[in-house]
Amino acid sequence: IYSLISGVCSLVVSVVFGVGMAVRQVDKDQIMHVLYIFSYVLGIFATYFYYGFVQAAFAGTPGKLLMGIRLVRSDFSRAGVARCFGRTLAMGLSTVTLGLGYLMIFFNPKRRSLHDGIADTIVITKSAWLASQPTSPPVLSPGAASDANGKAA
């Protein structure tokens, strides 16, 4: 899903930018050089937007949500934008180590990858996430008496 979103954005911006430069009759090699740099910067921005903001806002990427898993902090609270950005940066370490950072989930008793350990996050199932949420007290009608446990008397 991420690749599709990123690819479409890069394509649209590159075509518009490239046509604009061609109309101005800029050298072909110069156009390709600028488009390469622009696509690289756009790709970095799209990656951090996708993983940072989307995971912070929805507790996971669309793929995670479809699979019924959520990204949360190790104490089951929501992972904020800064933590999700930090996790995305740390994903680079998991990748640079030839994927060993991802393979750690098979050897770690808590099933955490390198970047999850660095960012203090965990990926859990939706049911585990729902079970970790505090339950709200029962709603009583105004003036109803209740005992010490909050149950209606």
Side-chain angles (χ1 to χ4, degrees):
I1 294 174
Y2 162 72
S3 297
L4 180 66
I5 294 169
S6 178
V8 168
C9 290
S10 292
L11 178 67
V12 169
V13 171
S14 295
V15 167
V16 170
F17 196 67
V19 168
M21 289 183 74
V23 168
R24 295 186 69 210
Q25 297 179 349
V26 177
D27 181 39
K28 181 180 173 184
D29 291 334
Q30 195 174 13
I31 291 173
M32 294 308 293
H33 183 68
V34 170
L35 287 177
Y36 174 77
I37 292 171
F38 190 73
S39 294
Y40 183 75
V41 170
L42 183 65
I44 291 172
F45 176 76
T47 299
Y48 281 94
F49 174 78
Y50 182 75
Y51 286 107
F53 287 116
V54 172
Q55 288 191 129
F58 302 107
T61 60
K64 280 185 177 66
L65 299 176
L66 285 173
M67 296 300 296
I69 55 179
R70 301 288 187 265
L71 175 72
V72 295
R73 292 185 61 181
S74 62
D75 63 357
F76 297 100
S77 63
R78 267 192 116 74
V81 174
R83 189 166 305 274
C84 289
F85 275 119
R87 183 178 185 268
T88 304
L89 277 173
M91 284 173 75
L93 291 175
S94 292
T95 303
V96 171
T97 58
L98 302 176
L100 293 177
Y102 295 104
L103 294 176
M104 285 177 58
I105 64 169
F106 297 112
F107 307 106
N108 184 323
K110 293 184 179 180
R111 300 279 190 225
R112 290 171 73 175
S113 61
L114 176 63
H115 52 277
D116 283 324
I118 291 171
D120 190 34
T121 57
I122 55 175
V123 178
I124 59 174
T125 62
K126 183 180 178 182
S127 59
W129 181 70
L130 290 173
S132 71
Q133 300 303 307
T135 57
S136 59
V139 177
L140 299 174
S141 60
S146 62
D147 63 9
N149 295 327
K151 296 181 182 176

